Amino acid sequence: MDGFFDHHLETFYKHESELIREYLGAPDDIIDCPTEAQRVLFGPTRRRVPKMLDLENPILLGPVQTRNTT
């Protein structure tokens, strides 16, 4: 990583859980899959937040890929 990532800081304000749930919906709500790719993976419906994502213990899925500068 270059130095840009070391100096890029922003303030994060965590809102109340009820406000977030009202705006985004509950993570375990069952919703229709909007795309064909999601229907292939999950079927006709899925959880709003797939079970592989744990909101209490967030993780990075997949690598960080940056532009090759060489």
Short mmCIF file of all heavy atoms in Angstrom, two decimals:
data_model
loop_
_atom_site.label_atom_id
_atom_site.label_comp_id
_atom_site.label_asym_id
_atom_site.label_seq_id
_atom_site.Cartn_x
_atom_site.Cartn_y
_atom_site.Cartn_z
N MET A 1 0.84 -1.18 0.00
CA MET A 1 0.00 0.00 0.00
C MET A 1 0.88 1.24 0.00
O MET A 1 1.94 1.25 0.59
CB MET A 1 -0.88 0.03 1.25
CG MET A 1 -1.85 -1.11 1.34
SD MET A 1 -3.06 -0.93 0.05
CE MET A 1 -4.13 -2.26 0.43
N ASP A 2 0.40 2.27 -0.64
CA ASP A 2 1.19 3.50 -0.62
C ASP A 2 0.78 4.38 0.55
O ASP A 2 -0.13 4.07 1.31
CB ASP A 2 1.06 4.25 -1.95
CG ASP A 2 -0.36 4.72 -2.22
OD1 ASP A 2 -1.16 4.86 -1.29
OD2 ASP A 2 -0.65 4.97 -3.39
N GLY A 3 1.42 5.51 0.72
CA GLY A 3 1.19 6.38 1.85
C GLY A 3 -0.19 6.99 1.92
O GLY A 3 -0.64 7.43 2.96
N PHE A 4 -0.90 7.05 0.79
CA PHE A 4 -2.24 7.64 0.78
C PHE A 4 -3.15 6.95 1.80
O PHE A 4 -3.89 7.62 2.51
CB PHE A 4 -2.85 7.54 -0.62
CG PHE A 4 -4.28 7.98 -0.66
CD1 PHE A 4 -4.61 9.34 -0.65
CD2 PHE A 4 -5.31 7.06 -0.68
CE1 PHE A 4 -5.93 9.75 -0.68
CE2 PHE A 4 -6.63 7.46 -0.71
CZ PHE A 4 -6.94 8.81 -0.70
N PHE A 5 -3.10 5.64 1.87
CA PHE A 5 -3.97 4.90 2.77
C PHE A 5 -3.63 5.17 4.24
O PHE A 5 -4.48 5.08 5.10
CB PHE A 5 -3.91 3.41 2.48
CG PHE A 5 -4.56 3.05 1.18
CD1 PHE A 5 -3.79 2.69 0.09
CD2 PHE A 5 -5.93 3.10 1.03
CE1 PHE A 5 -4.38 2.38 -1.11
CE2 PHE A 5 -6.54 2.79 -0.17
CZ PHE A 5 -5.76 2.44 -1.24
N ASP A 6 -2.38 5.51 4.53
CA ASP A 6 -1.98 5.80 5.90
C ASP A 6 -2.51 7.15 6.39
O ASP A 6 -2.66 7.36 7.58
CB ASP A 6 -0.46 5.80 6.03
CG ASP A 6 0.13 4.42 5.79
OD1 ASP A 6 -0.61 3.44 5.97
OD2 ASP A 6 1.30 4.34 5.41
N HIS A 7 -2.80 8.07 5.47
CA HIS A 7 -3.19 9.42 5.85
C HIS A 7 -4.65 9.73 5.59
O HIS A 7 -5.08 10.86 5.76
CB HIS A 7 -2.31 10.44 5.12
CG HIS A 7 -0.88 10.32 5.49
ND1 HIS A 7 -0.01 9.54 4.77
CD2 HIS A 7 -0.17 10.84 6.51
CE1 HIS A 7 1.18 9.61 5.31
NE2 HIS A 7 1.12 10.38 6.38
N HIS A 8 -5.40 8.76 5.20
CA HIS A 8 -6.81 8.99 4.86
C HIS A 8 -7.68 8.56 6.04
O HIS A 8 -7.99 7.40 6.20
CB HIS A 8 -7.18 8.21 3.60
CG HIS A 8 -8.55 8.49 3.11
ND1 HIS A 8 -8.88 9.66 2.49
CD2 HIS A 8 -9.68 7.76 3.16
CE1 HIS A 8 -10.16 9.64 2.18
NE2 HIS A 8 -10.67 8.50 2.57
N LEU A 9 -8.06 9.51 6.88
CA LEU A 9 -8.87 9.21 8.06
C LEU A 9 -10.16 10.00 7.99
O LEU A 9 -10.17 11.15 7.57
CB LEU A 9 -8.12 9.59 9.34
CG LEU A 9 -6.80 8.89 9.58
CD1 LEU A 9 -6.12 9.48 10.81
CD2 LEU A 9 -7.01 7.40 9.76
N GLU A 10 -11.26 9.39 8.39
CA GLU A 10 -12.54 10.06 8.45
C GLU A 10 -13.25 9.68 9.73
O GLU A 10 -13.07 8.60 10.27
CB GLU A 10 -13.42 9.67 7.25
CG GLU A 10 -12.90 10.18 5.94
CD GLU A 10 -13.84 9.92 4.79
OE1 GLU A 10 -15.05 9.74 5.04
OE2 GLU A 10 -13.38 9.88 3.65
N THR A 11 -14.09 10.58 10.22
CA THR A 11 -14.87 10.32 11.42
C THR A 11 -16.07 9.45 11.06
O THR A 11 -16.72 9.67 10.05
CB THR A 11 -15.36 11.64 12.04
OG1 THR A 11 -14.22 12.45 12.31
CG2 THR A 11 -16.12 11.40 13.31
N PHE A 12 -16.35 8.47 11.90
CA PHE A 12 -17.51 7.58 11.70
C PHE A 12 -18.48 7.81 12.85
O PHE A 12 -18.09 7.75 14.02
CB PHE A 12 -17.05 6.12 11.68
CG PHE A 12 -18.20 5.15 11.68
CD1 PHE A 12 -18.95 4.95 10.54
CD2 PHE A 12 -18.53 4.45 12.83
CE1 PHE A 12 -20.01 4.07 10.55
CE2 PHE A 12 -19.59 3.56 12.84
CZ PHE A 12 -20.32 3.37 11.69
N TYR A 13 -19.72 8.12 12.51
CA TYR A 13 -20.76 8.31 13.52
C TYR A 13 -21.71 7.13 13.47
O TYR A 13 -22.35 6.90 12.45
CB TYR A 13 -21.54 9.61 13.26
CG TYR A 13 -20.67 10.83 13.34
CD1 TYR A 13 -20.20 11.45 12.20
CD2 TYR A 13 -20.30 11.35 14.58
CE1 TYR A 13 -19.39 12.57 12.27
CE2 TYR A 13 -19.49 12.47 14.66
CZ TYR A 13 -19.05 13.08 13.50
OH TYR A 13 -18.24 14.18 13.59
N LYS A 14 -21.78 6.36 14.54
CA LYS A 14 -22.66 5.20 14.59
C LYS A 14 -24.03 5.64 15.08
O LYS A 14 -24.17 6.21 16.15
CB LYS A 14 -22.09 4.13 15.53
CG LYS A 14 -22.93 2.88 15.55
CD LYS A 14 -22.33 1.84 16.44
CE LYS A 14 -23.25 0.63 16.46
NZ LYS A 14 -22.81 -0.36 17.41
N HIS A 15 -25.04 5.37 14.25
CA HIS A 15 -26.41 5.73 14.61
C HIS A 15 -27.05 4.63 15.45
O HIS A 15 -26.56 3.51 15.51
CB HIS A 15 -27.24 5.98 13.35
CG HIS A 15 -26.74 7.15 12.56
ND1 HIS A 15 -26.95 8.44 12.96
CD2 HIS A 15 -26.02 7.21 11.42
CE1 HIS A 15 -26.39 9.26 12.08
NE2 HIS A 15 -25.82 8.55 11.14
N GLU A 16 -28.18 4.94 16.06
CA GLU A 16 -28.89 3.98 16.88
C GLU A 16 -29.38 2.81 16.02
O GLU A 16 -29.76 2.98 14.87
CB GLU A 16 -30.10 4.63 17.57
CG GLU A 16 -29.75 5.73 18.54
CD GLU A 16 -29.51 7.06 17.85
OE1 GLU A 16 -29.92 7.22 16.68
OE2 GLU A 16 -28.88 7.93 18.46
N SER A 17 -29.37 1.62 16.59
CA SER A 17 -29.77 0.41 15.87
C SER A 17 -31.18 0.51 15.31
O SER A 17 -31.45 0.06 14.19
CB SER A 17 -29.66 -0.81 16.78
OG SER A 17 -28.33 -1.03 17.14
N GLU A 18 -32.10 1.08 16.07
CA GLU A 18 -33.49 1.19 15.61
C GLU A 18 -33.61 2.09 14.39
O GLU A 18 -34.37 1.82 13.47
CB GLU A 18 -34.40 1.67 16.73
CG GLU A 18 -34.63 0.64 17.81
CD GLU A 18 -35.15 -0.69 17.25
OE1 GLU A 18 -36.09 -0.67 16.42
OE2 GLU A 18 -34.61 -1.74 17.63
N LEU A 19 -32.86 3.18 14.35
CA LEU A 19 -32.87 4.08 13.20
C LEU A 19 -32.33 3.36 11.97
O LEU A 19 -32.91 3.45 10.87
CB LEU A 19 -32.05 5.33 13.49
CG LEU A 19 -31.92 6.32 12.33
CD1 LEU A 19 -33.29 6.89 11.96
CD2 LEU A 19 -30.96 7.44 12.71
N ILE A 20 -31.26 2.61 12.13
CA ILE A 20 -30.68 1.86 11.02
C ILE A 20 -31.66 0.80 10.53
O ILE A 20 -31.87 0.62 9.33
CB ILE A 20 -29.34 1.23 11.43
CG1 ILE A 20 -28.32 2.34 11.69
CG2 ILE A 20 -28.84 0.26 10.37
CD1 ILE A 20 -27.03 1.89 12.29
N ARG A 21 -32.31 0.07 11.47
CA ARG A 21 -33.28 -0.96 11.09
C ARG A 21 -34.47 -0.35 10.35
O ARG A 21 -34.97 -0.91 9.39
CB ARG A 21 -33.75 -1.69 12.33
CG ARG A 21 -33.53 -3.16 12.20
CD ARG A 21 -33.98 -3.96 13.39
NE ARG A 21 -32.90 -4.89 13.65
CZ ARG A 21 -32.03 -4.78 14.63
NH1 ARG A 21 -32.12 -3.81 15.49
NH2 ARG A 21 -31.09 -5.66 14.77
N GLU A 22 -34.93 0.82 10.82
CA GLU A 22 -36.05 1.48 10.16
C GLU A 22 -35.69 1.88 8.74
O GLU A 22 -36.48 1.75 7.82
CB GLU A 22 -36.45 2.72 10.97
CG GLU A 22 -37.59 3.51 10.39
CD GLU A 22 -37.90 4.76 11.19
OE1 GLU A 22 -37.62 4.78 12.41
OE2 GLU A 22 -38.39 5.72 10.60
N TYR A 23 -34.47 2.35 8.55
CA TYR A 23 -34.02 2.81 7.23
C TYR A 23 -33.67 1.66 6.29
O TYR A 23 -34.08 1.65 5.13
CB TYR A 23 -32.81 3.73 7.39
CG TYR A 23 -32.33 4.34 6.11
CD1 TYR A 23 -33.05 5.34 5.48
CD2 TYR A 23 -31.15 3.91 5.53
CE1 TYR A 23 -32.61 5.89 4.29
CE2 TYR A 23 -30.70 4.45 4.34
CZ TYR A 23 -31.43 5.45 3.73
OH TYR A 23 -30.99 5.99 2.57
N LEU A 24 -32.93 0.67 6.79
CA LEU A 24 -32.44 -0.42 5.94
C LEU A 24 -33.26 -1.70 6.02
O LEU A 24 -33.18 -2.53 5.12
CB LEU A 24 -30.99 -0.76 6.31
CG LEU A 24 -29.96 0.32 6.11
CD1 LEU A 24 -28.61 -0.14 6.60
CD2 LEU A 24 -29.89 0.74 4.65
N GLY A 25 -34.02 -1.87 7.09
CA GLY A 25 -34.72 -3.13 7.31
C GLY A 25 -33.87 -4.04 8.18
O GLY A 25 -32.67 -3.84 8.33
N ALA A 26 -34.50 -5.04 8.74
CA ALA A 26 -33.78 -5.99 9.59
C ALA A 26 -32.93 -6.92 8.74
O ALA A 26 -33.33 -7.31 7.65
CB ALA A 26 -34.78 -6.80 10.42
N PRO A 27 -31.73 -7.30 9.21
CA PRO A 27 -30.85 -8.16 8.42
C PRO A 27 -31.47 -9.51 8.07
O PRO A 27 -31.15 -10.08 7.04
CB PRO A 27 -29.63 -8.35 9.32
CG PRO A 27 -29.70 -7.31 10.35
CD PRO A 27 -31.13 -6.91 10.48
N ASP A 28 -32.38 -10.02 8.92
CA ASP A 28 -32.95 -11.35 8.66
C ASP A 28 -34.29 -11.28 7.91
O ASP A 28 -34.94 -12.32 7.74
CB ASP A 28 -33.08 -12.14 9.95
CG ASP A 28 -33.90 -11.43 11.01
OD1 ASP A 28 -34.23 -10.24 10.81
OD2 ASP A 28 -34.20 -12.06 12.03
N ASP A 29 -34.70 -10.10 7.41
CA ASP A 29 -35.88 -10.02 6.56
C ASP A 29 -35.68 -10.89 5.32
O ASP A 29 -34.58 -10.97 4.79
CB ASP A 29 -36.14 -8.58 6.10
CG ASP A 29 -36.70 -7.70 7.18
OD1 ASP A 29 -37.13 -8.23 8.22
OD2 ASP A 29 -36.71 -6.46 6.98
N ILE A 30 -36.73 -11.51 4.85
CA ILE A 30 -36.67 -12.28 3.61
C ILE A 30 -37.16 -11.39 2.47
O ILE A 30 -38.25 -10.83 2.53
CB ILE A 30 -37.55 -13.55 3.69
CG1 ILE A 30 -37.09 -14.44 4.86
CG2 ILE A 30 -37.53 -14.32 2.38
CD1 ILE A 30 -35.66 -14.94 4.74
N ILE A 31 -36.32 -11.22 1.44
CA ILE A 31 -36.65 -10.37 0.31
C ILE A 31 -36.54 -11.16 -0.99
O ILE A 31 -35.89 -12.21 -1.03
CB ILE A 31 -35.74 -9.13 0.25
CG1 ILE A 31 -34.27 -9.53 0.05
CG2 ILE A 31 -35.91 -8.26 1.50
CD1 ILE A 31 -33.34 -8.38 -0.24
N ASP A 32 -37.16 -10.66 -2.04
CA ASP A 32 -37.02 -11.26 -3.37
C ASP A 32 -35.63 -10.99 -3.90
O ASP A 32 -35.06 -9.92 -3.67
CB ASP A 32 -38.05 -10.69 -4.34
CG ASP A 32 -39.46 -11.09 -3.98
OD1 ASP A 32 -39.64 -12.18 -3.39
OD2 ASP A 32 -40.39 -10.32 -4.29
N CYS A 33 -35.06 -11.93 -4.63
CA CYS A 33 -33.75 -11.72 -5.26
C CYS A 33 -33.95 -10.85 -6.50
O CYS A 33 -34.71 -11.22 -7.40
CB CYS A 33 -33.13 -13.05 -5.65
SG CYS A 33 -32.55 -13.99 -4.23
N PRO A 34 -33.28 -9.71 -6.58
CA PRO A 34 -33.51 -8.79 -7.67
C PRO A 34 -32.80 -9.13 -8.98
O PRO A 34 -33.16 -8.61 -10.02
CB PRO A 34 -33.01 -7.45 -7.12
CG PRO A 34 -31.96 -7.84 -6.14
CD PRO A 34 -32.41 -9.14 -5.55
N THR A 35 -31.78 -9.97 -8.94
CA THR A 35 -31.01 -10.27 -10.16
C THR A 35 -30.97 -11.78 -10.41
O THR A 35 -31.14 -12.58 -9.49
CB THR A 35 -29.57 -9.75 -10.05
OG1 THR A 35 -28.89 -10.49 -9.02
CG2 THR A 35 -29.53 -8.26 -9.74
N GLU A 36 -30.70 -12.13 -11.64
CA GLU A 36 -30.58 -13.55 -12.00
C GLU A 36 -29.42 -14.21 -11.26
O GLU A 36 -29.53 -15.35 -10.81
CB GLU A 36 -30.39 -13.70 -13.51
CG GLU A 36 -30.29 -15.13 -13.98
CD GLU A 36 -31.54 -15.96 -13.68
OE1 GLU A 36 -32.65 -15.39 -13.59
OE2 GLU A 36 -31.40 -17.21 -13.53
N ALA A 37 -28.32 -13.50 -11.11
CA ALA A 37 -27.16 -14.05 -10.39
C ALA A 37 -27.53 -14.39 -8.95
O ALA A 37 -27.15 -15.44 -8.44
CB ALA A 37 -26.00 -13.06 -10.42
N GLN A 38 -28.29 -13.53 -8.29
CA GLN A 38 -28.71 -13.82 -6.93
C GLN A 38 -29.70 -14.98 -6.89
O GLN A 38 -29.66 -15.79 -5.98
CB GLN A 38 -29.33 -12.57 -6.28
CG GLN A 38 -28.31 -11.53 -5.93
CD GLN A 38 -28.91 -10.40 -5.11
OE1 GLN A 38 -30.02 -10.50 -4.60
NE2 GLN A 38 -28.17 -9.32 -4.99
N ARG A 39 -30.57 -15.07 -7.89
CA ARG A 39 -31.52 -16.19 -7.92
C ARG A 39 -30.78 -17.52 -8.10
O ARG A 39 -31.17 -18.53 -7.52
CB ARG A 39 -32.55 -15.99 -9.02
CG ARG A 39 -33.58 -14.92 -8.66
CD ARG A 39 -34.72 -14.85 -9.66
NE ARG A 39 -34.32 -14.26 -10.94
CZ ARG A 39 -34.27 -12.93 -11.17
NH1 ARG A 39 -34.60 -12.08 -10.23
NH2 ARG A 39 -33.91 -12.48 -12.35
N VAL A 40 -29.69 -17.52 -8.86
CA VAL A 40 -28.88 -18.73 -9.02
C VAL A 40 -28.23 -19.10 -7.69
O VAL A 40 -28.20 -20.27 -7.30
CB VAL A 40 -27.82 -18.54 -10.12
CG1 VAL A 40 -26.80 -19.66 -10.11
CG2 VAL A 40 -28.49 -18.44 -11.48
N LEU A 41 -27.71 -18.11 -6.98
CA LEU A 41 -27.02 -18.38 -5.71
C LEU A 41 -27.95 -18.72 -4.57
O LEU A 41 -27.69 -19.63 -3.79
CB LEU A 41 -26.18 -17.16 -5.30
CG LEU A 41 -24.92 -16.91 -6.10
CD1 LEU A 41 -24.30 -15.58 -5.69
CD2 LEU A 41 -23.93 -18.03 -5.91
N PHE A 42 -29.06 -17.96 -4.43
CA PHE A 42 -29.90 -18.07 -3.25
C PHE A 42 -31.28 -18.67 -3.49
O PHE A 42 -31.97 -19.01 -2.56
CB PHE A 42 -30.10 -16.67 -2.62
CG PHE A 42 -28.83 -15.99 -2.24
CD1 PHE A 42 -28.40 -14.88 -2.93
CD2 PHE A 42 -28.06 -16.46 -1.19
CE1 PHE A 42 -27.23 -14.23 -2.58
CE2 PHE A 42 -26.88 -15.83 -0.84
CZ PHE A 42 -26.46 -14.70 -1.54
N GLY A 43 -31.74 -18.74 -4.75
CA GLY A 43 -33.11 -19.14 -5.04
C GLY A 43 -33.96 -17.89 -5.24
O GLY A 43 -33.43 -16.79 -5.36
N PRO A 44 -35.28 -18.02 -5.24
CA PRO A 44 -36.14 -16.87 -5.53
C PRO A 44 -36.15 -15.81 -4.43
O PRO A 44 -36.43 -14.64 -4.69
CB PRO A 44 -37.53 -17.48 -5.71
CG PRO A 44 -37.47 -18.80 -5.02
CD PRO A 44 -36.05 -19.26 -5.08
N THR A 45 -35.84 -16.20 -3.20
CA THR A 45 -35.79 -15.24 -2.09
C THR A 45 -34.50 -15.45 -1.32
O THR A 45 -33.84 -16.47 -1.43
CB THR A 45 -36.98 -15.41 -1.13
OG1 THR A 45 -36.95 -16.72 -0.57
CG2 THR A 45 -38.30 -15.15 -1.82
N ARG A 46 -34.14 -14.44 -0.54
CA ARG A 46 -32.94 -14.52 0.29
C ARG A 46 -33.11 -13.64 1.51
O ARG A 46 -34.01 -12.81 1.58
CB ARG A 46 -31.71 -14.08 -0.48
CG ARG A 46 -31.72 -12.60 -0.84
CD ARG A 46 -30.38 -12.21 -1.46
NE ARG A 46 -30.33 -10.84 -1.89
CZ ARG A 46 -30.01 -9.79 -1.11
NH1 ARG A 46 -29.73 -9.97 0.16
NH2 ARG A 46 -29.97 -8.57 -1.60
N ARG A 47 -32.22 -13.83 2.49
CA ARG A 47 -32.17 -12.90 3.63
C ARG A 47 -31.66 -11.56 3.12
O ARG A 47 -30.88 -11.50 2.18
CB ARG A 47 -31.19 -13.40 4.68
CG ARG A 47 -31.70 -14.53 5.52
CD ARG A 47 -30.60 -15.06 6.44
NE ARG A 47 -29.77 -14.03 7.04
CZ ARG A 47 -29.80 -13.70 8.32
NH1 ARG A 47 -30.59 -14.32 9.14
NH2 ARG A 47 -29.02 -12.75 8.79
N ARG A 48 -32.09 -10.48 3.74
CA ARG A 48 -31.60 -9.15 3.35
C ARG A 48 -30.07 -9.10 3.44
O ARG A 48 -29.40 -8.60 2.56
CB ARG A 48 -32.21 -8.07 4.24
CG ARG A 48 -31.85 -6.67 3.82
CD ARG A 48 -32.54 -5.62 4.65
NE ARG A 48 -33.97 -5.73 4.65
CZ ARG A 48 -34.79 -5.27 3.69
NH1 ARG A 48 -34.28 -4.69 2.64
NH2 ARG A 48 -36.09 -5.41 3.80
N VAL A 49 -29.50 -9.62 4.52
CA VAL A 49 -28.05 -9.75 4.67
C VAL A 49 -27.75 -11.25 4.72
O VAL A 49 -28.18 -11.93 5.65
CB VAL A 49 -27.55 -9.07 5.96
CG1 VAL A 49 -26.05 -9.27 6.11
CG2 VAL A 49 -27.90 -7.59 5.96
N PRO A 50 -27.07 -11.78 3.70
CA PRO A 50 -26.79 -13.22 3.69
C PRO A 50 -26.08 -13.66 4.97
O PRO A 50 -25.32 -12.90 5.58
CB PRO A 50 -25.88 -13.40 2.47
CG PRO A 50 -26.23 -12.25 1.58
CD PRO A 50 -26.57 -11.12 2.51
N LYS A 51 -26.32 -14.91 5.39
CA LYS A 51 -25.77 -15.41 6.65
C LYS A 51 -24.25 -15.42 6.68
O LYS A 51 -23.67 -15.39 7.75
CB LYS A 51 -26.29 -16.83 6.92
CG LYS A 51 -27.70 -16.84 7.42
CD LYS A 51 -28.07 -18.22 7.90
CE LYS A 51 -29.46 -18.17 8.49
NZ LYS A 51 -29.77 -19.36 9.24
N MET A 52 -23.60 -15.45 5.51
CA MET A 52 -22.14 -15.46 5.52
C MET A 52 -21.58 -14.13 6.04
O MET A 52 -20.41 -14.05 6.40
CB MET A 52 -21.59 -15.74 4.14
CG MET A 52 -21.88 -14.67 3.13
SD MET A 52 -21.23 -15.18 1.54
CE MET A 52 -22.05 -14.01 0.50
N LEU A 53 -22.41 -13.08 6.12
CA LEU A 53 -21.97 -11.80 6.66
C LEU A 53 -22.47 -11.67 8.09
O LEU A 53 -23.66 -11.71 8.35
CB LEU A 53 -22.52 -10.65 5.81
CG LEU A 53 -22.14 -10.67 4.33
CD1 LEU A 53 -22.78 -9.51 3.62
CD2 LEU A 53 -20.64 -10.64 4.17
N ASP A 54 -21.57 -11.53 9.02
CA ASP A 54 -21.91 -11.40 10.44
C ASP A 54 -21.73 -9.94 10.83
O ASP A 54 -20.60 -9.43 10.90
CB ASP A 54 -21.01 -12.30 11.27
CG ASP A 54 -21.33 -12.27 12.75
OD1 ASP A 54 -22.21 -11.48 13.17
OD2 ASP A 54 -20.72 -13.04 13.49
N LEU A 55 -22.82 -9.22 11.07
CA LEU A 55 -22.74 -7.80 11.39
C LEU A 55 -22.09 -7.52 12.72
O LEU A 55 -21.59 -6.43 12.96
CB LEU A 55 -24.14 -7.18 11.34
CG LEU A 55 -24.84 -7.25 9.99
CD1 LEU A 55 -26.21 -6.61 10.07
CD2 LEU A 55 -24.01 -6.58 8.92
N GLU A 56 -22.08 -8.51 13.63
CA GLU A 56 -21.43 -8.33 14.92
C GLU A 56 -19.91 -8.49 14.81
O GLU A 56 -19.16 -7.95 15.60
CB GLU A 56 -21.98 -9.34 15.93
CG GLU A 56 -23.46 -9.14 16.23
CD GLU A 56 -23.76 -7.78 16.84
OE1 GLU A 56 -22.98 -7.33 17.69
OE2 GLU A 56 -24.77 -7.18 16.43
N ASN A 57 -19.46 -9.29 13.83
CA ASN A 57 -18.03 -9.53 13.62
C ASN A 57 -17.70 -9.36 12.14
O ASN A 57 -17.49 -10.35 11.44
CB ASN A 57 -17.65 -10.95 14.09
CG ASN A 57 -17.96 -11.15 15.54
OD1 ASN A 57 -17.40 -10.48 16.39
ND2 ASN A 57 -18.87 -12.06 15.83
N PRO A 58 -17.65 -8.11 11.66
CA PRO A 58 -17.44 -7.90 10.22
C PRO A 58 -16.05 -8.36 9.77
O PRO A 58 -15.08 -8.26 10.52
CB PRO A 58 -17.60 -6.39 10.06
CG PRO A 58 -17.39 -5.82 11.40
CD PRO A 58 -17.79 -6.87 12.39
N ILE A 59 -15.99 -8.87 8.55
CA ILE A 59 -14.73 -9.31 7.97
C ILE A 59 -14.67 -8.81 6.53
O ILE A 59 -15.68 -8.44 5.95
CB ILE A 59 -14.58 -10.84 7.98
CG1 ILE A 59 -15.73 -11.50 7.19
CG2 ILE A 59 -14.52 -11.37 9.41
CD1 ILE A 59 -15.53 -12.98 6.98
N LEU A 60 -13.49 -8.81 5.95
CA LEU A 60 -13.31 -8.45 4.56
C LEU A 60 -13.45 -9.71 3.73
O LEU A 60 -12.78 -10.71 3.99
CB LEU A 60 -11.92 -7.84 4.35
CG LEU A 60 -11.51 -7.53 2.91
CD1 LEU A 60 -12.42 -6.44 2.34
CD2 LEU A 60 -10.07 -7.10 2.86
N LEU A 61 -14.33 -9.69 2.75
CA LEU A 61 -14.49 -10.82 1.84
C LEU A 61 -13.79 -10.48 0.54
O LEU A 61 -14.18 -9.57 -0.17
CB LEU A 61 -15.98 -11.09 1.57
CG LEU A 61 -16.81 -11.48 2.78
CD1 LEU A 61 -18.27 -11.61 2.39
CD2 LEU A 61 -16.31 -12.78 3.36
N GLY A 62 -12.75 -11.22 0.23
CA GLY A 62 -12.00 -10.98 -0.99
C GLY A 62 -10.82 -10.04 -0.74
O GLY A 62 -10.78 -9.32 0.24
N PRO A 63 -9.87 -10.05 -1.64
CA PRO A 63 -8.67 -9.24 -1.47
C PRO A 63 -8.90 -7.78 -1.88
O PRO A 63 -9.83 -7.48 -2.61
CB PRO A 63 -7.67 -9.90 -2.40
CG PRO A 63 -8.53 -10.45 -3.50
CD PRO A 63 -9.81 -10.88 -2.83
N VAL A 64 -8.02 -6.93 -1.42
CA VAL A 64 -7.99 -5.55 -1.91
C VAL A 64 -7.18 -5.57 -3.19
O VAL A 64 -6.05 -6.07 -3.22
CB VAL A 64 -7.34 -4.61 -0.87
CG1 VAL A 64 -7.17 -3.22 -1.44
CG2 VAL A 64 -8.16 -4.59 0.39
N GLN A 65 -7.73 -5.04 -4.26
CA GLN A 65 -7.01 -5.02 -5.53
C GLN A 65 -6.82 -3.58 -5.95
O GLN A 65 -7.78 -2.81 -6.04
CB GLN A 65 -7.79 -5.79 -6.58
CG GLN A 65 -7.06 -5.84 -7.91
CD GLN A 65 -7.81 -6.69 -8.91
OE1 GLN A 65 -8.83 -7.27 -8.61
NE2 GLN A 65 -7.29 -6.75 -10.12
N THR A 66 -5.58 -3.20 -6.15
CA THR A 66 -5.28 -1.85 -6.60
C THR A 66 -4.67 -1.90 -7.99
O THR A 66 -4.27 -2.95 -8.48
CB THR A 66 -4.30 -1.16 -5.63
OG1 THR A 66 -3.11 -1.94 -5.56
CG2 THR A 66 -4.91 -1.02 -4.25
N ARG A 67 -4.61 -0.76 -8.62
CA ARG A 67 -4.07 -0.66 -9.97
C ARG A 67 -2.56 -0.94 -9.96
O ARG A 67 -1.84 -0.47 -9.09
CB ARG A 67 -4.33 0.76 -10.48
CG ARG A 67 -4.05 0.97 -11.91
CD ARG A 67 -4.60 2.30 -12.34
NE ARG A 67 -4.13 3.36 -11.48
CZ ARG A 67 -3.47 4.43 -11.92
NH1 ARG A 67 -3.23 4.57 -13.19
NH2 ARG A 67 -3.07 5.35 -11.09
N ASN A 68 -2.11 -1.73 -10.90
CA ASN A 68 -0.68 -2.03 -11.01
C ASN A 68 0.03 -0.81 -11.59
O ASN A 68 -0.29 -0.34 -12.67
CB ASN A 68 -0.48 -3.24 -11.90
CG ASN A 68 0.96 -3.72 -11.88
OD1 ASN A 68 1.82 -3.09 -11.30
ND2 ASN A 68 1.22 -4.82 -12.54
N THR A 69 0.99 -0.27 -10.86
CA THR A 69 1.66 0.96 -11.30
C THR A 69 3.02 0.68 -11.94
O THR A 69 3.75 1.61 -12.26
CB THR A 69 1.85 1.92 -10.11
OG1 THR A 69 2.60 1.25 -9.11
CG2 THR A 69 0.52 2.37 -9.58
N THR A 70 3.40 -0.58 -12.11
CA THR A 70 4.71 -0.87 -12.69
C THR A 70 4.62 -1.04 -14.17
O THR A 70 3.62 -1.31 -14.74
CB THR A 70 5.35 -2.11 -12.07
OG1 THR A 70 4.48 -3.23 -12.27
CG2 THR A 70 5.63 -1.89 -10.61
#
